[in-house]
């Protein structure tokens, strides 16, 4: 009987210790997960982004195309743009000529098909009614208007001398753009940007853990050089009027 009571007491002690350790392990694991998530949040991301690359591009069908979620559509868009660039740039075909020739060919085929069905006793082709919806056009115009107004506001702020960093950034961007414009025309530039949008984001998404640390080092070095430049040059430039204080 004494031995039986001892074994009962030992098993009871073991159960209590197991419950104690089991109850202790869950908060520690939760705290480890929290620390891990905090460390992940502190990781530098390119351009200071906090969302995944897919969400940065809107998270819709356009993001799927740019990030090759649907390879057929992405490859088709890239192929069509390449064919158009070759047609207009290398073969020197004009847009108006292409549109007119395409319409002539399409209308001729449909006209002959519609009239030819009476001789071969077949039903004429079903040509659907095509109309442009109003809502997407209004949304596009609204977004375009907002972006134009925001750009004009930024340019006004720069012209008033209130933001030296933006002034230098805009001047450098326009200067680089003018150099690129000397090398290629607008169509080639548009095609290059279109191709890069289909290549760079998907490569960055695959290798972001390697790219972000390198970008962080680069940004630190740029900030150091800018601080030196600001101390030696920019601090000696007279500034424009300050913004009015709001009371």
């Amino acid at each position: 009987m004494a031995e039986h009571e001892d074994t009962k007491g030992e098993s009871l002690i073991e159960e209590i210790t197991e419950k104690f350790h089991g109850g202790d392990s869950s908060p520690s694991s939760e705290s480890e997960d929290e620390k891990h998530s905090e460390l992940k949040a502190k990781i530098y991301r390119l351009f200071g982004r906090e969302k995944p690359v897919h969400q940065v591009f809107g998270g819709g069908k356009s993001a799927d195309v740019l990030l090759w979620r649907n390879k057929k559509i992405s490859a088709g868009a890239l192929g069509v743009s390449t064919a158009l660039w070759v047609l207009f740039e290398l073969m020197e075909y004009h847009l108006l000529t292409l549109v007119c020739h395409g319409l002539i060919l399409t209308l001729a085929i449909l006209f002959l098909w519609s009239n030819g069905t009476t001789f071969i006793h077949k039903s004429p082709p079903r040509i659907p009614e095509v109309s442009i919806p109003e809502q997407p056009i209004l949304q596009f115009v609204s977004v375009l208007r907002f972006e134009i107004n925001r750009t004009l506001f930024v340019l006004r702020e720069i012209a008033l001398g209130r933001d030296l960093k933006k002034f230098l950034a805009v001047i450098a961007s326009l200067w680089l753009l003018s150099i690129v414009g000397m090398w290629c025309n607008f169509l080639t530039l548009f095609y290059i940007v279109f191709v890069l949008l289909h290549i760079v984001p998907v490569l960055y998404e695959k290798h972001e853990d390697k790219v972000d640390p390198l970008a962080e080092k680069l940004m630190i070095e740029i900030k150091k050089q800018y601080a030196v430049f600001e101390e030696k040059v920019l601090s000696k430039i007279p500034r424009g009027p300050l913004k009015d204080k709001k009371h």
Side-chain angles (χ1 to χ4, degrees):
M1 289 289 291
E3 288 178 0
H4 185 63
E5 287 177 358
D6 289 340
T7 53
K8 273 188 176 181
E10 287 176 1
S11 62
L12 184 62
I13 292 170
E14 285 177 1
E15 286 179 5
I16 291 170
T17 53
E18 281 178 6
K19 285 181 181 178
F20 177 75
H21 288 299
D24 238 13
S25 63
S26 59
S28 66
S29 63
E30 285 177 4
S31 62
E32 285 177 3
D33 291 338
E34 286 177 2
K35 287 180 181 178
H36 185 64
S37 61
E38 285 177 3
L39 286 173
K40 265 193 166 182
K42 290 179 181 178
I43 294 174
Y44 176 85
R45 293 301 180 189
L46 196 61
F47 303 119
R49 65 179 181 85
E50 298 178 356
K51 299 178 181 179
V53 181
H54 190 266
Q55 293 295 325
V56 171
F57 284 100
K61 292 182 180 179
S62 58
D64 293 340
V65 172
L66 293 176
L67 296 174
W68 293 76
R69 296 288 194 271
N70 192 328
K71 294 183 179 180
K72 290 183 179 179
I73 297 177
S74 301
L78 202 58
V80 169
S81 64
T82 303
L84 290 174
W85 179 78
V86 170
L87 194 66
F88 292 130
E89 188 65 23
L90 299 184
M91 300 179 65
E92 297 182 354
Y93 213 76
H94 298 287
L95 178 61
L96 184 60
T97 307
L98 177 65
V99 172
C100 291
H101 286 177
L103 287 174
I104 289 170
L105 183 63
T106 304
L107 290 174
I109 292 173
L110 291 175
F111 180 82
L112 293 173
W113 188 4
S114 299
N115 287 281
T117 52
T118 57
F119 298 102
I120 57 177
H121 303 289
K122 286 190 176 181
S123 59
R126 294 180 181 178
I127 303 173
E129 293 184 4
V130 180
S131 61
I132 299 174
E134 182 180 2
Q135 195 63 29
I137 300 297
L138 293 177
Q139 289 177 354
F140 174 76
V141 172
S142 177
V143 171
L144 184 63
R145 172 183 167 276
F146 174 77
E147 293 297 332
I148 291 174
N149 287 337
R150 188 173 66 172
T151 303
L152 291 174
F153 175 79
V154 171
L155 292 176
R156 181 178 179 275
E157 292 291 309
I158 293 170
L160 291 174
R162 294 175 178 173
D163 197 328
L164 189 58
K165 289 183 180 180
K166 285 183 181 179
F167 170 74
L168 294 174
V170 170
I171 293 298
S173 302
L174 292 173
W175 180 67
L176 289 173
L177 193 61
S178 66
I179 293 175
V180 173
M182 293 172 62
W183 295 340
C184 58
N185 56 22
F186 180 75
L187 179 63
T188 302
L189 179 62
F190 180 81
Y191 173 70
I192 291 171
V193 172
F194 188 81
V195 172
L196 289 176
L197 283 174
H198 280 76
I199 295 175
V200 175
V202 66
L203 290 178
Y204 170 70
E205 189 182 34
K206 288 181 179 178
H207 306 286
E208 60 180 338
D209 293 333
K210 296 178 181 178
V211 174
D212 287 337
L214 296 176
E216 184 180 12
K217 292 178 183 178
L218 181 62
M219 289 302 298
I220 292 171
E221 187 62 30
I222 289 173
K223 287 179 180 178
K224 286 181 181 178
Q225 297 299 326
Y226 179 78
V228 174
F229 180 69
E230 186 177 19
E231 183 182 354
K232 293 183 177 180
V233 179
L234 300 183
S235 59
K236 300 176 182 179
I237 298 175
R239 301 295 179 91
L242 296 174
K243 291 182 179 179
D244 297 332
K245 292 181 179 179
K246 294 182 179 179
H247 297 286

